[in-house]
């Protein structure tokens, strides 16, 4: 059993790497979202001819400026979709780690009983703790990926009629990551690596 726990701890180290990668992707998404929001709000100003003042005399400036902003917005939205794919790759990696973790218990003729799954050796985690932790971390990140996909879709819909308050609310959803409660994640890692903490 102790050897199996060590194998699970190796899987959790890989999960930790994936979560670090997730955080880096999160920073990129927030930057893209902020840039897209700025352009969306700027589009409202650009579309009002009163805001051009003496620049109205420059032929075609309104159309050229609008065109350039729309081109920039399209590039950012494309980057956001690539960023979502990076999130998806992390979710798929977590899913594979979880699936492999379940297979680890099922392998061989010595499949552990429920009692063995819940057996604790000192402060090491139980096999049940390991399986549950992998499941929870995968589900949290999958739910958050789906939320991020919805927020990016909502941003696309706001292109036609952007609202500063809607954009702020969507950005706050991205920042908060409500499906990945930090204290719950830390609790899982504290259980798995309890012996390293002491």
């Amino acid at each position: 059993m102790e050897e199996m726990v060590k194998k699970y701890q190796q899987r959790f180290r890989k999960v930790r790497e994936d979560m670090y990668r997730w955080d880096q992707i999160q920073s990129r998404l927030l930057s893209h979202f902020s840039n897209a929001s700025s352009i969306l709000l700027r589009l409202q100003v650009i579309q009002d001819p009163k805001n051009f003042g003496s620049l109205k005399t420059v032929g075609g400036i309104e159309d050229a400026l609008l065109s350039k902003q729309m081109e920039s917005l399209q590039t950012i939205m494309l980057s956001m979709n690539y960023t979502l794919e990076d999130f998806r790759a992390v979710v798929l990696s977590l899913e594979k780690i979880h699936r492999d973790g379940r297979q680890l218990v099922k392998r061989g003729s010595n499949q552990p009983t429920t009692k063995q799954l819940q057996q604790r050796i000192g402060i090491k985690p139980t096999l049940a703790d390991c399986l549950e932790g992998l499941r929870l971390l995968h589900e949290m990140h999958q739910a958050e990926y789906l939320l991020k996909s919805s927020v990016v879709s909502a941003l696309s819909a706001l292109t036609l009629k952007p609202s500063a308050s809607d954009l702020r609310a969507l950005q706050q959803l991205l920042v908060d990551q409500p499906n990945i409660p930090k204290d719950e994640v830390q609790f899982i890692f504290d259980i798995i690596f309890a012996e390293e903490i002491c």
Side-chain angles (χ1 to χ4, degrees), residues 2-195:
E2 202 168 331
E3 277 303 310
M4 280 186 100
V5 167
K6 285 182 181 178
K7 289 180 181 180
Y8 278 105
Q9 286 174 327
Q10 289 173 344
R11 282 172 169 68
F12 274 94
R13 284 183 182 89
K14 172 67 173 118
V15 167
R16 195 179 275 161
E17 290 172 16
D18 281 344
M19 291 176 65
Y20 175 74
R21 197 169 54 140
W22 179 280
D23 290 343
Q24 291 175 321
I25 298 166
Q26 168 75 354
S27 295
R28 196 171 2 137
L29 181 66
L30 291 175
S31 175
H32 291 323
F33 191 91
S34 177
N35 292 339
S37 295
S38 295
I39 290 173
L40 286 173
L41 294 174
R42 203 175 303 129
L43 286 176
Q44 287 180 314
V45 175
I46 292 171
Q47 291 173 337
D48 186 353
K50 293 184 292 187
N51 293 323
F52 282 90
S54 62
L55 288 176
K56 282 185 202 175
T57 58
V58 179
I61 186 127
E62 294 149 342
D63 291 338
L65 193 53
L66 182 61
S67 174
K68 190 66 174 164
Q69 290 298 301
M70 290 302 286
E71 184 182 307
S72 295
L73 181 61
Q74 187 176 16
T75 301
I76 292 169
M77 295 301 287
L78 188 60
S79 294
M80 288 176 82
N81 285 325
Y82 288 137
T83 302
L84 285 175
E85 285 304 310
D86 292 341
F87 278 121
R88 186 173 177 271
V90 172
V91 169
L92 291 175
S93 175
L94 293 172
E95 179 182 28
K96 182 180 183 328
I97 292 168
H98 175 230
R99 187 177 55 245
D100 292 349
R102 285 193 329 252
Q103 291 301 317
L104 187 61
V105 169
K106 293 178 183 177
R107 282 192 198 135
S109 57
N110 288 350
Q111 290 187 7
T113 64
T114 304
K115 185 177 179 181
Q116 288 172 321
L117 285 174
Q118 296 174 348
Q119 181 181 5
R120 186 173 305 278
I121 302 170
I123 60 171
K124 290 188 184 300
T126 66
L127 294 178
D129 291 337
C130 295
L131 290 168
E132 181 67 4
L134 291 175
R135 183 188 67 77
L136 284 172
L137 291 170
H138 169 249
E139 287 179 0
M140 286 177 191
H141 286 81
Q142 183 166 10
E144 189 62 31
Y145 163 72
L146 294 173
L147 176 66
K148 289 179 186 320
S149 296
S150 297
V151 168
V152 169
S153 294
L155 182 64
S156 298
L158 282 176
T159 303
L160 300 174
K161 189 150 169 74
S163 152
S165 61
D166 288 346
L167 290 170
R168 277 192 302 275
L170 290 174
Q171 185 164 14
Q172 196 59 50
L173 260 179
L174 290 178
V175 169
D176 290 346
Q177 297 195 96
N179 294 301
I180 308 175
K182 290 191 182 303
D183 54 336
E184 198 172 327
V185 170
Q186 188 59 51
F187 182 72
I188 292 169
F189 280 98
D190 287 350
I191 289 173
I192 301 303
F193 296 109
E195 62 190 338

